Amino acid sequence: MVSDPELIKQILDTRFGSFADRRPPAIDVRSSFSYILPALTGRDWERMHRNYKRVFTLKNELKIVPKINDCCDKLIETWNKRITDKDNEIDIEQSLRVLILDTMAWTVFGTRVSPEFTEGTRRLTQCLLPMYLIVTLFPKLTEKISRAIKLCVHTHDKYFLDYLNREITQRDRNGSRGNDFLQLFMDLRKHNSFGEPLVQSVVDDNVIPDEDRLTEQENVWQLFTFPFWNFRSMFTALGFGLYELAVNPDIQDRLRNEINTTIGGGGDGCGDDDNASDTIDVNSLDKLVYLEAFLLEVHRKYPVFYRLSRSVSKDTVLGSTGSTTTTGIMMPKNQIVNIPVHALHHNSSHYPEPELFDPDRFMPENLSSNINPYTYLAYGIGPRQCIAKRFSQMQLKLVLCRLIRKYEFYRLIDTTVPPVYHNNPEAVTVSPIKLGIKYVA
Ligand code: HEM
């Protein structure tokens, strides 16, 4: 476990060459859960990382944003039907589950959420997350039970595999295209599903080198990154975000004020006719400085991944190269190094009064002088940081703006304070959160 910011900087950033992977390479479980970017190592990671960079460009992300607005419309419609007396109790966990599944179905897979999609995601995440952990944490055991793992995976990823194969073939056959991540990954292939060469490229006019282009199988597998990495992270950030709004009405008022004065209010509040008309222009989100600080504070207090890990690719002495911190600690090849994100974020020497929810820590005037970037690891840092950081922040800001403009969230007698974390070995997740909700006066 390493928690010294200078050493963290070396591991995650400046000496990346020795710490590029999350686990030692070489376990052959090529499958939907082990061939996604977070699990890849060495050259496989480098090649796939170049491809993800081609997908997660600002231009591509902006094309997908209207679909997030669509999904917010749907949630607002549902809430409006339930708020009968200008006051209501909402099971936040349930509402967010629907919103996030719908957003994932629509922006990634080009379909709307359905009971089959929900069940497919449940099966996938419940079985495959433990599998991913086994592969990451117990490589030797993985080698022994790899056949059993493959078998288990194939029974649980069937819904998505079938859906993707069907949808990809259909788009190839009809020449139709979607405004979604599936399409962006499809455009990275060398051949379409009928074996015909693809000339199209997602990177504007740039031709993708042949060696980078995806096979059919790799294309399908990359789409599994989303149910694994998207669902849990968005769920945690939004769930705890809404909770903090409800228990901190002054922060909520300040946020609403910023949103209303910067990009305008959200309809008349009666809820019948104004849900679709208050779509937000995503470019205006950059002006919301307090919203940005609020989200950074949500991620600080409730980091989705409470530790990061790296494996050592060659014997390395930590702190020995051009560093002020010479530890003399030898890290042998294949050693796993963990970085305790949650503990760093809750350490009072980095963040005074760490249990206090205080977005002002992250206001521009306090940010650069008070916070060492290597103590803030909500999205990781360095070449292996979250590839979707900008997109997720955009998505979170958009959803929060839409909801805060229209609704007021408040604490109920049976709102659990402080909130309870789910008992999950890898990530912090939300337990049921009940909040009051009413139209903004
Ligand atoms: C609230 C939203 C999110 C948070 C807080 C978050 C956080 C993180 C963190 C902490 C890491 C590990 C970084 C490291 O090891 O240094 C990571 C990696 C990653 N995230 Fe996210 N994430 C979020 C949303 C997403 C979404 C929506 C996607 C969609 C695909 C995504 C895709 C990935 C991928 C592919 C990696 C692995 C990158 C690599 O290994 O090169 N994340 N994320």
Side-chain angles (χ1 to χ4, degrees):
M1 197 70 89
V2 173
S3 59
D4 177 87
E6 170 58 28
L7 298 182
I8 292 174
K9 178 177 177 179
Q10 292 179 33
I11 292 168
L12 296 181
D13 209 350
T14 52
R15 300 189 66 192
F16 181 70
S18 299
F19 301 95
D21 301 328
R22 294 203 169 83
R23 63 172 171 81
I27 304 141
D28 177 29
V29 201
R30 290 206 157 207
S31 188
S32 52
F33 78 109
S34 61
Y35 204 77
I36 54 176
L37 186 69
L40 291 180
T41 59
R43 291 272 156 85
D44 287 340
W45 173 77
E46 286 173 14
R47 169 175 166 266
M48 200 56 80
H49 191 254
R50 288 195 292 275
N51 277 319
Y52 273 69
K53 285 273 191 200
R54 296 179 174 114
V55 166
F56 284 95
T57 63
L58 183 60
K59 194 172 167 193
N60 285 338
E61 290 165 4
L62 287 175
K63 276 191 241 158
I64 288 173
V65 163
K67 290 195 154 186
I68 305 172
N69 264 319
D70 282 358
C71 299
C72 289
D73 288 346
K74 229 170 126 183
L75 175 70
I76 287 171
E77 228 172 83
T78 312
W79 278 0
N80 285 349
K81 280 186 195 138
R82 290 191 39 195
I83 302 180
T84 48
D85 50 0
K86 301 255 165 201
D87 232 334
N88 217 312
E89 178 186 305
I90 291 279
D91 178 345
I92 288 295
E93 192 194 14
Q94 179 58 27
S95 290
L96 289 182
R97 197 174 287 282
V98 177
L99 172 72
I100 295 166
L101 280 172
D102 192 28
T103 313
M104 186 167 73
W106 195 215
T107 62
V108 180
F109 296 95
T111 180
R112 292 313 282 251
V113 70
S114 63
E116 297 75 33
F117 187 90
T118 306
E119 176 58 14
T121 310
R122 191 192 64 77
R123 282 178 69 79
L124 193 70
T125 45
Q126 277 191 354
C127 155
L128 299 195
L129 196 65
M131 293 299 154
Y132 176 77
L133 291 181
I134 292 175
V135 172
T136 318
L137 301 176
F138 308 107
K140 291 211 170 89
L141 175 69
T142 308
E143 271 173 312
K144 287 194 185 124
I145 61 168
S146 70
R147 272 171 66 89
I149 291 182
K150 272 186 182 169
L151 211 68
C152 172
V153 170
H154 287 320
T155 56
H156 286 81
D157 63 8
K158 194 172 173 344
Y159 168 79
F160 279 102
L161 279 184
D162 288 351
Y163 172 81
L164 285 169
N165 287 325
R166 219 175 31 245
E167 181 69 16
I168 290 170
T169 315
Q170 198 170 329
R171 287 187 190 185
D172 281 341
R173 183 180 299 122
N174 304 342
S176 56
R177 296 178 58 78
N179 244 346
D180 44 44
F181 284 103
L182 169 57
Q183 189 65 52
L184 294 170
F185 277 100
M186 280 174 67
D187 289 348
L188 293 168
R189 293 170 303 166
K190 201 168 182 176
H191 297 105
N192 70 13
S193 43
F194 303 108
E196 296 154 355
L198 278 186
V199 280
Q200 188 141 19
S201 147
V202 268
V203 215
D204 308 324
D205 297 326
N206 297 330
V207 177
I208 306 167
D210 253 13
E211 64 274 16
D212 278 7
R213 291 208 171 202
L214 303 183
T215 62
E216 272 298 285
Q217 189 66 85
E218 287 174 332
N219 165 39
V220 168
W221 283 340
Q222 291 325 301
L223 274 305
F224 281 80
T225 305
F226 292 87
F228 277 136
W229 286 68
N230 178 339
F231 183 77
R232 197 173 295 270
S233 32
M234 299 308 286
F235 195 54
T236 302
L238 282 174
F240 286 121
L242 294 183
Y243 163 84
E244 289 293 349
L245 288 179
V247 296
N248 293 292
D250 47 336
I251 293 178
Q252 187 178 164
D253 288 346
R254 192 170 154 191
L255 265 181
R256 187 171 297 110
N257 214 3
E258 179 186 64
I259 295 168
N260 288 346
T261 48
T262 313
I263 55 181
D268 61 13
C270 73
D272 297 332
D273 54 356
D274 56 352
N275 55 356
S277 60
D278 61 5
T279 299
I280 286 172
D281 168 15
V282 77
N283 295 315
S284 54
L285 295 175
D286 288 342
K287 297 179 200 142
L288 302 170
V289 192
Y290 192 60
L291 180 63
E292 167 94 16
F294 171 81
L295 266 178
L296 288 169
E297 178 68 343
V298 172
H299 290 317
R300 179 200 65 83
K301 201 169 168 199
Y302 309 101
V304 178
F305 298 95
Y306 54 76
R307 69 158 171 241
L308 301 180
S309 50
R310 294 292 186 269
S311 96
V312 185
S313 59
K314 53 179 182 248
D315 291 354
T316 301
V317 180
L318 256 196
S320 62
T321 315
S323 153
T324 49
T325 319
T326 305
T327 64
I329 299 170
M330 163 66 91
M331 314 286 287
K333 184 175 173 182
N334 289 347
Q335 164 93 45
I336 303 283
V337 189
N338 285 306
I339 296 166
V341 179
H342 191 275
L344 279 166
H345 286 192
H346 287 255
N347 181 331
S348 57
S349 50
H350 304 315
Y351 300 96
E353 292 189 77
E355 297 315 313
L356 183 73
F357 184 82
D358 178 14
D360 276 313
R361 301 177 203 273
F362 293 102
M363 287 302 270
E365 59 274 21
N366 301 325
L367 199 55
S368 55
S369 51
N370 294 346
I371 295 175
N372 178 333
Y374 294 93
T375 64
Y376 187 84
L377 300 172
Y379 285 91
I381 205 165
R384 203 112 201 207
Q385 68 179 286
C386 181
I387 196 88
K389 181 175 170 188
R390 183 184 48 214
F391 180 70
S392 344
Q393 285 178 334
M394 199 191 279
Q395 190 171 343
L396 288 168
K397 284 182 188 170
L398 186 59
V399 171
L400 285 172
C401 259
R402 294 285 312 265
L403 301 182
I404 294 170
R405 288 204 308 184
K406 189 169 282 288
Y407 305 110
E408 190 180 321
F409 301 91
Y410 58 92
R411 181 176 170 174
L412 299 165
I413 294 167
D414 53 354
T415 302
T416 315
V417 180
V420 182
Y421 290 2
H422 257 318
N423 190 9
N424 184 299
E426 224 14 45
V428 175
T429 49
V430 188
S431 266
I433 295 182
K434 285 207 174 105
L435 298 182
I437 161 175
K438 59 185 175 191
Y439 291 122
V440 171

